[in-house]
Amino acid sequence: MAFKEEWQKEKKKLSRMTLGKKLEYLFEYYKLWIFGTLLVIGLAVSIISTVVSHKPSAFYAMMLNAGSGNGSVNPEELAKTFGTIAEIDLSQYDVTIDASESYDPNAHSEFTMAMTARISGLFAAHGLDVMVEDPTVFYYYVANGAYLDLRKVYTEEELKAFGDKLYYVDEAEIERVNQQTDQALASGDVPETLKDGNGTAGESEETSDSLEQYAAGALGTPTLISREEFKAPDPSTMEKPVPVGLILRESPKLASWGYYQNTVPILGFPAGSEHLKEAKQYADWLWEK
């Protein structure tokens, strides 16, 4: 009853006002309700639009530390071009080529942690089909078991055709270093920067990410390896050589796009890829002139 009486008073008050005064009065006394309503409507429209327009991914390539390119390269156009080559129906599926991100796994910053979380999420969701990185970052992910053994991707004849373009790692060495790292962590021999407030290796998500970086730091190189400094690992010197990457030093496509001008890009196939056929097509495409 109180609400009805209040509404009658408001109605009578508004009836004596001009249109301009009515709008001014309503905005002054009901602006919070108006803004709240508009916000709810806006969120609803945004969510509905996202759901309606969302298309399942048919291919996702990430090229970390690629540089700015030559200025004329549009990753969205590259994605459309590759989607057509791979015969993907772009009206039904998404194709993504992401060359905008930079990442240093040995740096300890909020940005690095955010990138680590994002990439880890993509790996966990099987959302990545191809990863291209400089040697330092590539080796970091190899040490964490991120990439497929290329013997599971290509035939023996196809691997031979790559010649010196194959990137090998010594699986036995990685196992030894990881074991040493685990022992160091268990004994408390952890760098001060990776300890929590109690002076020990904590169990938080942040510390967990840091420990992964510590393990990778024992294997990798903390600086960017230039084209002149890069030397492909020699499988003949390894105890258990495993081909895990394709060295794209002479990729015509990457050169024409202006990517990786200061370092040597290496391509790997994420272990969780669900579009291996398209991933191999993408690798082949990078060799085309």
Side-chain angles (χ1 to χ4, degrees), residues 139-140 142-144 173-175 177-178 181 214-221:
Y139 200 77
Y140 166 76
V142 168
N144 284 282
E173 178 63 17
I174 289 178
E175 290 173 352
V177 174
N178 282 334
T181 302
Y214 174 48
L219 292 162
T221 305

Side-chain angles (χ1 to χ4, degrees), residues 31-282:
K31 57 186 176 184
L32 292 179
W33 286 97
I34 292 171
F35 285 144
T37 302
L38 291 176
L39 180 61
V40 171
I41 293 174
L43 287 173
V45 170
S46 176
I47 293 171
I48 292 171
S49 176
T50 300
V51 171
V52 170
S53 63
H54 177 72
K55 295 180 289 187
S57 176
F59 179 76
Y60 194 124
M62 178 176 282
M63 299 192 291
L64 283 172
N65 300 337
S68 58
N70 59 21
S72 63
V73 176
N74 184 338
E76 291 184 5
E77 290 301 319
L78 295 182
K80 290 179 182 178
T81 300
F82 175 70
T84 301
I85 292 171
E87 298 182 342
I88 297 171
D89 185 351
L90 297 177
S91 67
Q92 299 294 322
Y93 298 95
D94 272 332
V95 172
T96 302
I97 296 177
D98 183 359
S100 63
E101 305 293 354
S102 60
Y103 180 60
D104 179 0
N106 294 293
H108 302 286
S109 66
E110 291 183 5
F111 175 79
T112 301
M113 289 173 59
M115 277 301 300
T116 298
R118 181 189 170 197
I119 296 171
S120 297
L122 286 169
F123 270 113
H126 299 177
L128 283 174
D129 301 302
V130 164
M131 285 274 279
V132 181
E133 303 120 316
D134 61 276
T136 300
V137 179
F138 184 82
Y139 200 77
Y140 166 76
Y141 279 107
V142 168
N144 284 282
Y147 297 120
L148 288 171
D149 180 337
L150 294 186
R151 292 172 296 188
K152 298 179 180 179
V153 180
Y154 294 101
T155 65
E156 186 176 344
E157 291 74 20
E158 288 173 327
L159 287 176
K160 284 182 180 179
F162 283 116
D164 61 1
K165 296 180 178 66
L166 292 176
Y167 185 98
Y168 285 85
V169 293
D170 190 344
E171 191 173 86
E173 178 63 17
I174 289 178
E175 290 173 352
R176 277 194 294 271
V177 174
N178 282 334
Q179 184 176 17
Q180 292 169 3
T181 302
D182 290 341
Q183 291 173 349
L185 295 176
S187 65
D189 183 18
V190 183
E192 290 297 325
T193 56
L194 302 186
K195 292 180 179 180
D196 61 17
N198 299 319
T200 59
E203 297 297 328
S204 68
E205 183 176 346
E206 178 179 345
T207 303
S208 177
D209 289 340
S210 297
L211 295 182
E212 287 185 11
Q213 292 177 15
Y214 174 48
L219 292 162
T221 305
T223 57
L224 185 72
I225 299 176
S226 69
R227 282 180 170 264
E228 295 72 27
E229 295 172 326
F230 175 76
K231 292 182 180 179
D234 184 358
S236 67
T237 65
M238 299 178 183
E239 184 180 337
K240 292 172 65 177
V242 178
V244 291
L246 299 178
I247 301 172
L248 303 176
R249 185 201 297 268
E250 301 169 3
S251 163
K253 280 285 189 295
L254 293 179
S256 68
W257 299 339
Y259 290 142
Y260 298 102
Q261 295 183 7
N262 300 319
T263 189
V264 177
I266 303 171
L267 181 150
F269 299 101
S273 172
E274 296 179 349
H275 307 110
L276 202 52
K277 174 186 173 183
E278 290 76 14
K280 290 176 66 177
Q281 286 179 290
Y282 184 77

